[in-house]
Amino acid sequence: MDAFLLKSRGMLLAYDQGLEHGPTDFDERNVDPAFVMKLASTGRFNGIIFQKGLAEKYYDGRVPLILKVNGKTNLVKGEPLARQICSVERAARIGARAVGYTIYLGSAHENIMLEEFGRIQEQAHGLKMAAIAWIYPRGEAVENDTAPEIVAYAARTGLELGADAVKIKYTGDVDSFKWAVKSAGKTKVFMSGGPKAPSELDFLKQVRGALDAGAAGLAVGRNVWQSSDPLRMARALRKLVVENLSVEEAIQA
Ligand code: FBP
């Protein structure tokens, strides 16, 4: 696996929401991928997550690239399915150090995504790239996607599938998230952000909880680039993730 993911802790900046949700997440400033690209390096993130189109036009090489190789819009209703839309070879040529792939665990179509990820993981490792699985339990069979057992199942699935890292949602408390991290074994766990939290303090507390439970870091977007001061948020996250400080210490500028 690529060395940058082997570091003990890391923070990745996610910016594939333009496909997943449409520009509704954006404002005049963060709608510009160049703004987020610059934020990734000035905010000292360990990686930027783009879809192919953004990477081809905006990736500046200053931070490691994680290329999402599947995706979908939110316009189609029903059981979720996100198919591969970029080859691993193309991701490597663009300069990606890792590929990302979303699996909707529990969806009626999960078999297609499990099979695709299996192939992508082998191709990525063949090219010395890491394979990161976003594992989001979703669909009619899933009642509560942040229930501890289902989050732990998502984490374990990442290990079973050979993911180098798994991106999962926080359960809401340290003890239950510990079980998810333990279930992931040698697969690193990154906490996923979600919509902007009611306050920055709330979000930092979630991050602290995930780290205390053993997470290797986070892969977040909206809570950073939707912040009124994204660089301040990046600094606070770094204090938690890299310096392992408390929330109180992290919010002191
Ligand atoms: P956020 O921190 O903004 O939630 O980003 C994490 C992420 O996994 C993105 O990579 C992705 O676009 C989005 O969440 C998917 O969100 P949803 O839960 O709506 O599928």
Side-chain angles (χ1 to χ4, degrees):
M1 179 176 45
D2 193 293
F4 91 97
L5 267 177
L6 288 172
K7 284 184 187 161
S8 49
R9 292 264 181 96
M11 44 189 241
L12 310 178
L13 188 59
Y15 191 62
D16 60 331
Q17 293 82 353
L19 176 65
E20 299 294 328
H21 306 147
T24 183
D25 286 344
F26 303 143
D27 61 19
E28 286 290 331
R29 186 173 61 164
N30 59 37
V31 71
D32 180 5
F35 170 80
V36 177
M37 184 67 255
K38 192 158 176 242
L39 173 62
S41 51
T42 50
R44 301 176 67 199
F45 281 86
N46 302 99
I48 175 90
I49 298 160
F50 277 154
Q51 283 282 356
K52 175 171 75 173
L54 298 196
E56 288 176 344
K57 291 185 173 58
Y58 294 92
Y59 180 56
D60 68 8
R62 286 171 190 231
V63 296
L65 172 66
I66 296 100
L67 203 87
K68 274 302 294 292
V69 294
N70 74 334
K72 64 166 189 55
T73 72
N74 69 4
L75 300 174
V76 180
K77 304 301 170 203
E79 292 295 289
L81 171 63
R83 296 294 303 250
Q84 183 172 10
I85 49 180
C86 174
S87 69
V88 178
E89 291 75 15
R90 180 73 192 135
R93 277 203 299 279
I94 297 171
R97 307 264 290 270
V99 289
Y101 185 98
T102 302
I103 297 168
Y104 296 109
L105 202 67
S107 161
H109 307 300
E110 74 162 26
N111 58 330
I112 297 173
M113 293 171 277
L114 294 176
E115 187 274 332
E116 274 193 354
F117 181 76
R119 195 162 24 80
I120 284 163
Q121 183 261 14
E122 289 171 19
Q123 290 169 351
H125 287 183
L127 291 167
K128 305 250 177 302
M129 296 161 82
I132 306 178
W134 278 224
I135 306 197
Y136 293 162
R138 199 164 294 179
E140 234 177 71
V142 178
E143 274 174 27
N144 175 1
D145 66 346
T146 55
E149 269 313 307
I150 196 86
V151 174
Y153 201 165
R156 185 65 176 206
T157 302
L159 174 65
E160 302 282 348
L161 298 179
D164 300 293
V166 67
K167 183 169 174 333
I168 53 175
K169 291 195 174 168
Y170 187 50
T171 51
D173 71 279
V174 179
D175 282 344
S176 61
F177 205 64
K178 259 188 198 159
W179 178 238
V181 173
K182 203 168 176 102
S183 301
K186 288 185 180 175
T187 292
K188 284 182 175 287
V189 170
F190 286 96
M191 187 195 108
S192 183
K196 198 153 174 272
S199 76
E200 297 196 343
L201 191 62
D202 286 325
F203 179 61
L204 294 173
K205 283 181 182 166
Q206 283 177 37
V207 174
R208 184 69 265 164
L211 295 169
D212 288 344
L218 54 146
V220 297
R222 286 167 285 180
N223 277 282
V224 177
W225 41 256
Q226 283 181 352
S227 161
S228 57
D229 188 345
L231 269 181
R232 192 192 60 216
M233 176 55 96
R235 274 196 300 274
L237 290 175
R238 209 175 159 74
K239 285 183 183 170
L240 295 179
V241 176
V242 179
E243 297 174 42
N244 208 20
L245 296 177
S246 67
V247 170
E248 293 69 31
E249 289 165 313
I251 52 176
Q252 284 161 20

